[in-house]
């Protein structure tokens, strides 16, 4: 009794010490994941809102195995939508409902990584790996993204832990079933989650080659494990087999594989090498998930990672070490087989394994020092210094450098979010944005809790709005901040010069900046929007509007004697023909519209302008709507720019323009009305001369 008591006491002290350390690590991880929650990153990314829209579909009773979105996207796995739906119901529209799952998944990854490290190796590996996950840039970023892929790290860690329990310990049937079900959940979470299933398959291959005795001893449990996972994955597998859109998505993500099957293997090989080198070389180039091109690991952790890889290769006959290696390799496959090189989201299956290898390398360094008679305190202090260095650099990168990066600001619409934060509640606020109908409204709604209908959303490169009423109005122009000049220009919010000139001298112009002196947005203010609106209307030059029952009558239309009223609640006031830009074989036109009826809900309306010849034959057209329908208030005036590229070889002469409104989903035009009578579905503008 006297001999066993001290050993039992020491074991109990170690157990309590481990729990205390893990608790402190969890507290650290939680604080880092919720600190500066609304400002890191500074806005939201459109995929986050699309994920939430699927959650709302679940709340509406639309239960699916695979969710589809508009815009040609091939679909999304269902697990996130079903887990997020109750959060949307409880929290409403805000950042917590958008990202709480990611925070929870990121925090849950910490103890699960500890448990895997402790089970495969020892408690020191588990604690060091948990600490690395709690403070490292990659896991922290994944905890701030409301995307389904962030569910994969805890699921893959739990799947590997349960697999190891099935393989190495006497296991009851319910552990076997649980292990199979958890493995299948990775596939239901994210397409890249199938890499966890690939890791398990590779590990079984390893056991079949070098540990057949273990396989034979566990054949019954492993058989039921495989059957459970296979049956659970069968419904989703049938979706991929039977639904072309889902299948196309898989094909879209692996074009390099298709090229390799046609004999062009060099691009695939180069991509694989780039992904493998991303631990210490050039990393993910997108500001969504990374500071562009920053390695996955800082130098100190990368050195420990390579030590861990080396020792795992050296000890390849012990199953725990190859399991860690195949976990990392399989987790990298979604990025390695896809275009674009390293991608921190696609590689997310390998996240827990990466930091387990870091912890393994650190532990091995301390253990090896004893064999060469170096005091353990020396490598222990060295490892502690490397971890402390990594912690401060990773935390600094996450809170300071990542949100300030131009690409991060671009993808998360930070400049728009900054403008929304500064908007007063009085007067009318107007925002120029490349996405007036959806994304920009979502950013404001989720980050600021503002009703998007209270803001005039328009695309300043093609339209400008003059709000109804009198008093103060403001126009905000968020800055384009991407480091890619072409991308920033393509999604610019800046006014088209001819539209910006309509503000004239009736506004004051100011700029707002981020703390690093980068421009966030420009805004214009008027205290008399009624006078400014009237001044803009004086720039119309073509007010002799007419109507024709059909296209053939455009040569001899009937005059309206005033503005053109459409039954859906819009009036065309007039037009202005612009002098074509230098080198442009085109017609450029401004159409002046007035809103008569508000539409509080988004409706698929569009405005068209068409060029016809003397016989009424269609030559060229242009249709779009750049003032969001749910922003309309009766009395608003908006001016929209149309550019018609003239057909090659068009003969000089007189041509005719017709304009109107239609529903682009049903392709039904609005009716042109006069004194309660339907005149047709088009307005005929004064003829134009083509030189």
């Amino acid at each position: 009794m006297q001999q066993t008591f001290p050993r039992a006491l020491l074991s109990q002290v170690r157990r309590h010490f481990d729990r205390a350390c893990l608790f402190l690590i969890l507290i650290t991880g939680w604080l880092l994941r919720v600190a500066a929650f609304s400002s890191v990153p500074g806005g939201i990314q459109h995929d986050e809102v699309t994920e939430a829209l699927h959650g709302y579909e679940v709340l509406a009773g639309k239960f699916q195995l695979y969710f589809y979105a508009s815009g040609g996207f091939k679909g999304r796995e269902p697990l996130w939508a079903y887990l997020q739906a109750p959060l949307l119901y409880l929290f409403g529209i805000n950042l917590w409902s958008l990202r709480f799952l990611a925070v929870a998944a990121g925090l849950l990854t910490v103890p699960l990584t500890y448990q895997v490290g402790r089970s495969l190796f020892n408690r020191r590996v588990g604690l060091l790996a948990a600490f690395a996950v709690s403070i490292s840039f990659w896991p922290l970023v994944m905890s701030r993204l409301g995307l389904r892929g962030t569910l994969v790290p805890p699921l893959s860690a739990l799947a590997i832990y349960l697999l190891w329990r099935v393989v190495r310990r006497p296991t009851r049937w319910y552990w076997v079933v649980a292990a199979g079900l958890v493995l299948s959940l990775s596939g239901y979470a994210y397409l890249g989650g199938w890499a966890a299933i690939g890791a398990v398959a590779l590990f079984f291959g390893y056991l079949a080659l070098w540990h057949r005795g273990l396989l034979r001893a566990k054949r019954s449990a492993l058989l039921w494990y495989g059957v459970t996972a296979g049956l659970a994955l069968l419904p989703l597998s049938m979706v991929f087999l039977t639904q072309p859109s889902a299948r196309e998505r898989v094909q879209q993500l692996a074009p390099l594989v298709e090229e390799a099957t046609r004999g062009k293997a060099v691009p695939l090989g180069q991509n694989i090498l780039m992904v493998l080198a991303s631990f210490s070389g050039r990393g993910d180039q997108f500001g969504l998930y990374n500071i562009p091109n920053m390695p996955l690991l800082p130098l100190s952790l990368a050195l420990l990672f390579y030590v861990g890889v080396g020792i795992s290769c050296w000890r390849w006959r012990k199953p725990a070490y190859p399991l860690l290696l195949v976990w990392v390799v399989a987790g990298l496959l979604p990025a390695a087989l896809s275009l674009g090189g390293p991608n921190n989201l696609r590689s997310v299956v390998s996240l827990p394994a990466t930091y387990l290898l870091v912890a393994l390398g650190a532990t091995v360094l301390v253990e090896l020092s004893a064999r060469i008679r170096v005091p353990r305190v020396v490598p222990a202090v060295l490892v502690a210094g490397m971890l402390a260095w990594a912690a401060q650099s990773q935390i600094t990168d996450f809170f300071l450098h990542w949100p300030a990066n131009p690409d991060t600001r671009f993808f998360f619409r930070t400049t728009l979010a900054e403008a929304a934060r500064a908007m007063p509640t009085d007067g009318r606020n107007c925002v120029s944005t490349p996405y007036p109908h959806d994304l920009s409204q979502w950013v404001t709604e989720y980050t600021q809790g503002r009703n998007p209908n209270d803001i005039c959303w328009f695309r300043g490169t093609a339209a400008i709005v003059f709000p109804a009423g009198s008093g103060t109005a403001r126009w905000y122009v968020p800055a384009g901040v991407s480091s890619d000049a072409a991308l920033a220009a393509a999604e610019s919010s800046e006014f088209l010069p001819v539209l910006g000139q309509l503000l004239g001298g009736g506004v004051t112009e100011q700029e707002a900046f981020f703390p690093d002196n980068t421009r966030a947005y420009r805004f214009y203010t008027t205290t008399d929007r009624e006078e400014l609106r009237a001044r803009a209307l004086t720039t119309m030059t073509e007010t002799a509007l007419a109507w024709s029952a059909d296209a053939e009558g455009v040569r001899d239309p009937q005059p309206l004697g005033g503005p053109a009223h459409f039954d859906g609640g819009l009036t065309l006031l007039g037009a202005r023909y612009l002098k074509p830009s230098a080198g442009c074989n085109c017609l450029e036109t401004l159409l002046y519209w007035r809103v008569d009826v508000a539409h509080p809900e988004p409706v698929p309306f569009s405005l068209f302008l068409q060029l016809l010849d003397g016989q009424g034959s269609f030559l060229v057209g242009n249709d779009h709507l750049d003032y969001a329908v749910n922003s309309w208030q009766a009395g608003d005036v908006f001016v929209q720019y149309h550019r018609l590229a003239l057909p090659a070889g068009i003969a000089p002469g007189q041509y005719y323009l017709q304009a109107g409104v239609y529903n682009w989903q049903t392709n039904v035009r609005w009716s042109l009305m006069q004194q309660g009578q339907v005149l047709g579905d088009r307005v005929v503008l004064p003829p134009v001369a083509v030189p």
Side-chain angles (χ1 to χ4, degrees):
M1 183 70 177
Q2 291 179 350
Q3 293 179 349
T4 59
F5 177 76
R7 184 177 299 174
L9 179 62
L10 181 61
S11 175
Q12 189 174 11
V13 169
R14 285 177 175 172
R15 187 163 57 251
H16 287 305
F17 177 77
D18 288 356
R19 289 174 179 172
C21 288
L22 185 58
F23 177 75
L24 291 175
I25 290 170
L26 281 170
I27 292 297
T28 301
W30 167 255
L31 291 175
L32 292 176
R33 281 159 175 78
V34 299
F37 192 69
S38 62
S39 58
V40 179
I44 61 173
Q45 194 246 351
H46 67 275
D47 279 339
E48 294 182 277
V49 180
T50 305
E51 302 275 16
L53 294 178
H54 295 317
Y56 281 113
E57 289 184 62
V58 173
L59 290 178
K62 191 176 181 180
F63 306 121
Q64 302 178 78
L65 273 175
Y66 210 63
F67 289 88
Y68 294 92
S70 60
F73 192 80
K74 301 305 178 184
R76 286 176 169 84
E77 294 74 20
L79 183 59
W80 180 276
Y82 288 102
L83 293 177
Q84 192 178 35
L87 300 176
L88 293 167
Y89 178 79
L90 292 173
F91 297 153
I93 297 176
N94 54 49
L95 282 177
W96 277 108
S97 64
L98 210 61
R99 293 176 175 160
F100 178 82
L101 272 181
V103 173
L107 190 64
L108 191 58
T109 305
V110 175
L112 287 172
T113 302
Y114 163 79
Q115 193 62 41
V116 175
R118 183 173 178 271
S119 299
L120 266 63
F121 304 106
N122 53 56
R123 62 184 184 83
R124 289 187 296 276
V125 172
L127 284 173
L128 288 174
F131 175 74
V133 170
S134 72
I135 57 91
S136 291
F137 178 84
W138 185 15
L140 287 175
V141 169
M142 292 298 109
S143 298
R144 290 292 175 97
L145 301 174
L147 302 175
R148 65 197 185 284
T150 59
L151 294 175
V152 172
L155 287 174
S156 66
L158 183 58
I160 295 300
Y161 166 72
L162 292 174
L163 170 66
W164 189 250
R165 185 184 180 98
V166 169
V167 169
R168 302 299 293 179
R169 294 170 59 178
T171 307
R172 294 185 179 274
W173 68 268
Y174 47 81
W175 284 107
V176 176
V177 172
L181 290 176
V182 170
L183 180 64
S184 69
L185 285 178
S186 296
Y188 282 92
Y190 181 53
L191 184 61
W194 287 78
I197 302 165
V200 171
L202 289 174
F203 182 61
F204 283 167
Y206 162 81
L207 293 178
L209 291 174
W210 286 287
H211 293 276
R212 293 192 185 94
L214 180 59
L215 276 182
R216 284 193 294 269
K218 289 286 184 177
R219 62 181 178 273
S220 178
L222 293 178
L223 176 63
W224 282 110
Y225 171 78
V227 169
T228 302
L231 289 176
L233 284 168
L234 184 60
L236 187 60
S237 301
M238 293 303 297
V239 170
F240 286 115
L241 291 174
T242 59
Q243 297 186 17
S245 293
R247 206 161 50 245
E248 287 172 17
R249 178 169 174 245
V250 178
Q251 295 168 352
Q252 278 184 339
L253 296 177
L256 295 178
V257 177
E258 293 184 12
E259 284 191 19
T261 59
R262 295 194 295 266
K264 299 178 181 179
V266 172
L268 177 61
Q270 292 174 336
N271 205 62
I272 291 173
L273 291 177
M274 285 194 296
V275 170
L276 291 175
S278 64
F279 292 100
S280 57
R282 186 179 74 86
D284 191 336
Q285 62 182 314
F286 295 107
L288 272 173
Y289 318 122
N290 196 25
I291 297 173
N293 301 319
M294 187 178 77
L296 269 178
L297 301 172
L299 181 60
S300 57
L301 296 190
L303 292 173
L304 295 175
F305 172 80
Y306 290 124
V307 172
V309 171
I311 200 67
S312 296
C313 292
W314 180 259
R315 298 174 179 174
W316 63 274
R317 286 194 175 275
K318 297 181 179 180
Y321 295 91
L323 175 57
L324 210 53
L325 289 177
V326 298
W327 186 2
V328 169
V329 171
L332 295 176
L333 283 177
L337 301 180
S338 305
L339 284 172
N343 185 292
N344 290 0
L345 184 65
R346 292 175 184 169
S347 303
V348 77
V349 165
S350 64
L351 187 151
T354 297
Y355 294 100
L356 282 165
L357 284 169
V358 169
L360 183 61
T363 304
V364 166
L365 284 181
V366 176
E367 291 175 351
L368 290 179
S369 66
R371 298 186 182 182
I372 58 177
R373 298 184 179 181
V374 175
R376 283 200 173 193
V377 69
V378 175
V381 170
L382 176 63
V383 168
M386 296 173 77
L387 291 175
W389 177 28
Q392 66 84 22
S393 67
Q394 296 278 273
I395 292 172
T396 301
D397 284 339
F398 176 68
F399 283 106
L400 298 181
H401 301 152
W402 180 54
N405 182 268
D407 286 350
T408 305
R409 285 174 173 166
F410 174 81
F411 286 116
F412 286 95
R413 316 298 167 184
T414 306
T415 57
L416 172 61
E418 283 295 307
R421 291 186 184 100
M423 285 181 196
T425 55
D426 66 305
R428 289 285 297 279
N429 296 306
C430 307
V431 177
S432 173
T433 166
Y435 302 101
H437 303 285
D438 40 43
L439 174 58
S440 295
Q441 298 191 31
W442 298 337
V443 170
T444 304
E445 192 170 16
Y446 277 93
T447 60
Q448 305 304 313
R450 298 189 66 148
N451 185 344
N453 292 6
D454 294 339
I455 298 171
C456 301
W457 301 98
F458 68 101
R459 185 179 290 110
T461 55
I464 192 166
V465 180
F466 297 92
S470 58
T472 301
R474 306 170 195 86
W475 291 261
Y476 291 84
V477 184
V481 292
S482 174
S483 60
D484 185 331
L487 187 60
E491 300 203 0
S492 173
S493 298
E494 295 292 336
F495 290 146
L496 187 72
V498 69
L499 295 172
Q501 291 168 7
L502 294 178
L503 291 177
V507 296
T508 59
E509 179 181 345
Q510 295 174 275
E511 292 185 325
F513 296 85
F514 290 109
D516 60 2
N517 291 323
T518 302
R519 184 165 63 88
Y521 57 90
R522 179 188 299 112
F523 66 102
Y524 305 84
T525 306
T526 181
T527 56
D528 190 352
R529 61 180 187 254
E530 184 176 15
E531 191 275 335
L532 187 63
R533 188 171 62 251
R535 184 189 302 175
L537 290 176
T538 64
T539 62
M540 285 190 301
T541 59
E542 310 295 333
T543 57
L545 305 181
W547 67 276
S548 171
D550 51 40
E552 288 76 10
V554 295
R555 294 189 64 176
D556 188 25
Q558 303 300 310
L560 282 170
H565 303 283
F566 287 90
D567 63 349
L570 277 182
T571 294
L572 180 61
L573 302 173
R576 177 181 167 193
Y577 298 157
L578 303 175
K579 181 180 179 181
S581 305
C584 176
N585 184 31
C586 59
L587 293 177
E588 296 178 280
T589 305
L590 298 182
L591 297 182
Y592 293 69
W593 296 87
R594 185 186 67 219
V595 175
D596 299 323
V597 178
H599 290 268
E601 297 296 327
V603 185
F605 298 153
S606 190
L607 311 178
F608 68 83
L609 180 66
Q610 299 174 346
L611 182 69
L612 310 178
D613 63 16
Q615 287 70 47
S617 299
F618 174 85
L619 295 177
V620 64
N622 176 268
D623 59 286
H624 50 91
L625 175 60
D626 296 293
Y627 180 28
V629 175
N630 61 305
S631 296
W632 293 3
Q633 290 190 18
D636 288 350
V637 169
F638 65 98
V639 182
Q640 183 158 294
Y641 169 81
H642 292 264
R643 178 178 179 177
L644 301 179
L646 296 176
I650 186 172
Q654 186 168 273
Y655 292 85
Y656 304 89
L657 289 169
Q658 64 178 16
V661 191
Y662 74 103
N663 183 311
W664 53 262
Q665 284 187 344
T666 63
N667 209 31
V668 174
R669 291 184 179 184
W670 288 11
S671 296
L672 178 64
M673 308 293 295
Q674 190 175 63
Q675 298 179 351
Q677 180 182 358
V678 176
L679 301 180
D681 57 13
R682 73 201 73 206
V683 177
V684 180
L685 302 176
V688 294
V690 173

